[in-house]
Amino acid sequence: MMTDSPGTTVRDPVCGMMIDPATAAGRFEHGGKTYFFCHPGCLERFRADPEAFLQPLPLVGIRRSGDAGPASPPPPAPSPPAPGTIWVCPMDPEIRQDHPGACPRCGMALEPETATATEEDNPELRAMTRRLVVAAIVTVPLVLLTMMSMGPRSALHGLPAWLEALLATPVVLWAGGTFFARAWTSLARRSPNMFTLIGLGVGVAYVYSVVATLAPGLFPASLRGHDGRIATYFESAAAIVTLALLGQVLELRARGRTGAAIRALLNLAPKTGRLLADDGSERDVPLESVKRGDRLRVRPGEIVPVDGVLLEGTSAVDESMLTGEAMPVVKAAGAHVTAATLNSTGAFVMRAERVGAETLLAQIVRMVSDAQRSRAPVQQVADRVARIFVPAVVAAALLTFVVWALVGPQPRLAHALVNAVAVLIIACPCALGLATPMSIMVATGKAATWGVLFKNAEAIETLRDVDTLVLDKTGTLTEGKPRLTAVLPAPGGNEDELLALAAAVERGSEHPLGAAIVTAANARHLPAKQPSAFQSQTGKGVTGTVDGRKVALGTTKLLDDLKIAVDADARALAEARRADGDTVLFAAVDGRLAGLLAIADPVKGSAPQALAQLRAAGMRIVMLTGDHRATAEVTARKLGIDEVIAEVLPQDKAHEVKRLQDEGHVVAMAGDGVNDAPALAQAHVGIAMGTGTDVAMRTAAVTLVRGDLRGIVRARALSRATMANIHQNLLFAFIYNILGIPLAAGVLYPAFGWLLSPMIAATAMSFSSVSVIGNALRLRRVRLPDA
């Protein structure tokens, strides 16, 4: 029994956290025991379903008194959807409601919009499974008895129709009731779907059989068999319902697996963090209670709880769960760490900066969820077909009935009815509707595990056709962490004085080059002065007043605008530094040139290999930068880039992308800064570096979590695999219906005497959907390039 004796700790049965009963957030009596909880949320989940959390704990991970290290919580049980959950249709994301059920447009089961770490209890799957079990228990004996009674010498020959009706009725009316309800809804909303065809097929077979049983005299002699009886189809109606339920259950289970990637990401986050109080004490607290600015200790082998900055300590952090890169990254004081990454070696203290929904992990999950609900342009093909498909199938079934009733063999009406029902059942368009969304859901989840985030399905489709990749330089091709390499004062000037003035005016700037200057000044312990009258001219530089002196720092364009002369010697010196790959800034003080500052930004180590692979795939590579041409060309030569568009102002970057598009190219633009946002929006596919600005990431359709260009290689490979998978699904769905409908109508009967029974049609219909989903799930095993 749980107690609150002083000095003891107990386990929260929901999250597994060890807590002191005296400071517990709540308690609950159940089965004669008192259970304690670390957080009100755990209490509410336990109160809703205690038995779900009271299963025996596995021996592995249970901590005994005195054991070191955190205890492993029990495996999470499926949880009911949280209050306020919005349910959406996987094929029609605009269909939204506050309760589970079927989509009124397509009939598919609605799914929770917000992903959770545990696989939620799916009420639709639970209900369908219950109906399937009952239907199978009744249908199997019914079909067997019917088959055994067919032989003229069978002991069961002449099985009473009323017995068949007695067995089939609960299957059709109760187990199949959901199909009839959805069929009626589809007709009432004038949006026919697969359930329309199932409802019509089962309904016709069942009603015909009931009338034949209760009032056989209403039927002409042409419908009677050799024994004078009217043929009934109770077993067919029951079998169709059972097989349709089987298909729904398999489909719902398979669709549930598409959310595995999101659940895997969410499960990376720990449930608690170790909070450091101002008095130096430490305690584990629920992650929900961690606030921005809190200090947290992360020990070796623990998961980083939130996004933040290291304050003390050094460690190697494994970020593979978010980026796909196996090599741990060394972190020291001042470095950023990300929630859900693994602290491999040393212990450190961090300051929480982004918590809850603000963390990178939460943003990734949100982007993946949104992408999975989006619709690819190729889906429009399936939508147009689906709008006319169901009416066309009904017309085909009516034509089948008429032809068989007029020219078919005796009993003509019986053959006409059976074949018409087979056409209705086999032609259900569920496989066609699932072809695109299932592939998109699996692909976006797969991409997230490799550090590639697609904003929508359109980006996946378009990226496959991209033939021109435009790349910004700073922060995209280079590290984006420039460092000052030289301070070159004018004759008679002082190096430290020039650097101090430049750093002072750059303190109001957010540009990476400015940050490099400020960092260098701080390293020399120069006085940190504050500027006044600060102004930033995008793409040119900054101006301000420092200790009464007017300071300008930037390109020659800025100095030209200020009517400040730059002599030939200074220009030649700048060109020489640029030839070495440096970016050169001109500094002016009180209207006179005061010197130059040279800054270098190293090329990303992964960039040469990534660009080589993209070129090998036939991609045209273009560098687009605001840097001086000489500096840009040095970087381009290092990376083997032939086309360089340099000295471009931010507002003109989008124009350059538009120019390439007007030439007939499908253009992707990769960048990381605010100044890249217009070009990212203009491109067919905008690609943002996850290490860049939020503005760039909001504008782009694809985000590379760690800013690694190899992510573009992977994204394009996955795009091509996804579109191939979608085309396979669509081809299968179209061929299936093109071949299935004529077979069900009986076109092979005159030549071979072959007919397709409604039961076989129902089996084919159910497994066609499962086949499409199974093909989509193959994307989880796609081997992306090992870039």
Side-chain angles (χ1 to χ4, degrees), residues 302-341:
E302 290 186 336
I303 304 296
V304 178
V306 296
D307 294 358
V309 176
L310 258 69
L311 299 177
E312 304 173 14
T314 302
S315 182
V317 178
D318 181 355
E319 299 181 332
S320 61
M321 54 278 293
L322 292 180
T323 66
E325 295 299 325
M327 185 66 66
V329 180
V330 176
K331 304 283 186 178
H336 290 268
V337 289
T338 305
T341 55

Side-chain angles (χ1 to χ4, degrees), residues 274-278 291-298 304 307-315 331-337 347-353:
R274 192 161 188 83
L275 180 68
L276 272 66
D278 293 337
K291 302 183 295 297
R292 187 181 303 173
D294 283 348
R295 292 186 306 140
L296 303 168
R297 184 180 299 281
V298 183
V304 178
D307 294 358
V309 176
L310 258 69
L311 299 177
E312 304 173 14
T314 302
S315 182
K331 304 283 186 178
H336 290 268
V337 289
F348 59 82
V349 176
M350 62 175 290
R351 181 180 65 246
E353 288 196 335

Side-chain angles (χ1 to χ4, degrees), residues 306-393:
V306 296
D307 294 358
V309 176
L310 258 69
L311 299 177
E312 304 173 14
T314 302
S315 182
V317 178
D318 181 355
E319 299 181 332
S320 61
M321 54 278 293
L322 292 180
T323 66
E325 295 299 325
M327 185 66 66
V329 180
V330 176
K331 304 283 186 178
H336 290 268
V337 289
T338 305
T341 55
L342 175 65
N343 180 29
S344 300
T345 55
F348 59 82
V349 176
M350 62 175 290
R351 181 180 65 246
E353 288 196 335
R354 294 194 293 187
V355 300
E358 298 176 348
T359 65
L360 177 61
L361 178 66
Q363 294 179 46
I364 290 173
V365 170
R366 190 160 52 247
M367 288 184 68
V368 174
S369 296
D370 291 344
Q372 288 185 338
R373 306 295 179 198
S374 64
R375 297 169 70 83
V378 71
Q379 178 69 24
Q380 297 174 3
V381 177
D383 290 343
R384 286 194 296 267
V385 173
R387 277 194 292 269
I388 62 173
F389 187 75
V390 174
V393 169

